[in-house]
Amino acid sequence: MKRQRILWIVLDSVFIIIFNIFFFSLSKSDLPASVWVNYFFIHLSYILLLCTSFLVRRGNSGAADYARPLYLGTSSYFLITLLVGVMLIIISPQKAKASWLIHVSLLAVAAVYLIANMISNEHIADNMEKQEKDLQYIKKMSARLKPLITEAHDSEVSRRIERLYDTVMASPVKSNENAQVVEAQLIGMLAELEDSVNEGKAMDQTRIIDEMQKLVNRRNSML
């Protein structure tokens, strides 16, 4: 891992090294301020490109989708800045005002694009995290109910568990604070049902399943 990181640093440094070799080899000794303005912004745009990964929202499965528009923005900004900067360095205007205005404008456009995408990514990521959190109830319930269908010794109990399983699977994914209270009760009762199935107490199983069915219906009616 350490070796790989070193190799990435070396690869990232290639452009800076090559650019500076050509810049100092081909440039005159007495350069106007406009050249240094372009030199600065070319380096700034490249550093921003290298830092794109730090702008990406982490923590869920959508990270790759969040990164794509950000890399498009920073790479486009770098290529445009490089092209404009090299042209202005060749022209070498005596006054730096035009160079400043051009590069500040390019940076402003890039900043607006990046910030807008980052805000959008935050909104999408928050929604995805909420959806994933809401799904936990159905995932937990269904994963633990399904094996009980075959483990129950009584055929009637098995059918009731299957109906309960189907109701849970058909439940709305979206949740809220009131529904989450009922969900916690259901998870607790599910543990009771599992113990009852293991002990083979059919009457207890029927009672627990009926109570759980009512709670599932109550939970779904809240949404």
Side-chain angles (χ1 to χ4, degrees):
M1 191 67 181
K2 205 170 183 180
R3 178 183 171 84
Q4 189 180 30
R5 191 168 183 179
I6 292 170
L7 290 172
W8 273 111
I9 292 171
V10 172
L11 181 62
D12 292 340
S13 303
V14 169
F15 167 76
I16 295 293
I17 294 169
I18 297 298
F19 178 82
N20 279 279
I21 289 172
F22 273 84
F23 179 81
F24 288 106
S25 298
L26 299 176
S27 60
K28 301 172 185 177
S29 56
D30 186 19
L31 296 172
S34 64
V35 171
W36 293 111
V37 170
N38 287 284
Y39 177 89
F40 167 77
F41 277 101
I42 289 171
H43 283 72
L44 178 65
S45 65
Y46 188 65
I47 291 168
L48 182 59
L49 175 60
L50 296 183
C51 293
T52 307
S53 60
F54 297 106
L55 306 177
V56 179
R57 168 72 179 254
R58 306 288 180 183
N60 59 41
S61 56
D65 294 326
Y66 307 148
R68 202 171 294 116
L70 296 180
Y71 274 105
L72 175 63
T74 53
S75 58
S76 298
Y77 171 60
F78 165 66
L79 291 173
I80 294 169
T81 301
L82 177 63
L83 179 62
V84 171
V86 169
M87 288 175 61
L88 289 172
I89 287 172
I90 293 170
I91 296 170
S92 298
Q94 288 301 312
K95 294 184 178 181
K97 187 176 181 179
S99 295
W100 274 109
L101 290 175
I102 290 170
H103 284 294
V104 168
S105 298
L106 289 174
L107 181 59
V109 171
V112 169
Y113 174 86
L114 290 173
I115 293 169
N117 274 276
M118 287 171 69
I119 291 170
S120 176
N121 288 346
E122 289 294 321
H123 180 68
I124 294 168
D126 288 341
N127 287 339
M128 285 185 67
E129 284 180 4
K130 189 178 185 309
Q131 288 176 0
E132 289 174 4
K133 186 179 178 181
D134 290 344
L135 271 171
Q136 290 305 308
Y137 156 73
I138 293 177
K139 284 181 178 179
K140 285 180 183 178
M141 288 288 291
S142 58
R144 291 170 65 179
L145 279 171
K146 194 170 184 178
L148 295 180
I149 296 171
T150 54
E151 290 174 10
H153 302 295
D154 187 282
S155 59
E156 178 59 27
V157 169
S158 180
R159 280 194 295 271
R160 285 171 178 266
I161 295 174
E162 189 171 6
R163 280 199 298 271
L164 178 61
Y165 172 82
D166 291 340
T167 306
V168 169
M169 289 298 292
S171 297
V173 172
K174 189 177 179 180
S175 188
N176 57 41
E177 290 183 5
N178 293 329
Q180 285 166 6
V181 173
V182 180
E183 289 166 12
Q185 289 178 278
L186 282 162
I187 297 295
M189 292 191 74
L190 183 55
E192 280 186 65
L193 180 59
E194 288 169 335
D195 292 339
S196 183
V197 169
N198 291 333
E199 293 169 8
K201 298 177 180 178
M203 288 184 65
D204 285 349
Q205 293 164 33
T206 302
R207 176 186 57 80
I208 295 168
I209 294 166
D210 288 345
E211 289 179 16
M212 289 182 71
Q213 187 73 57
K214 290 176 184 176
L215 283 174
V216 170
N217 293 335
R218 188 193 302 172
R219 180 259 181 195
N220 293 348
S221 68
M222 294 175 177
L223 305 172

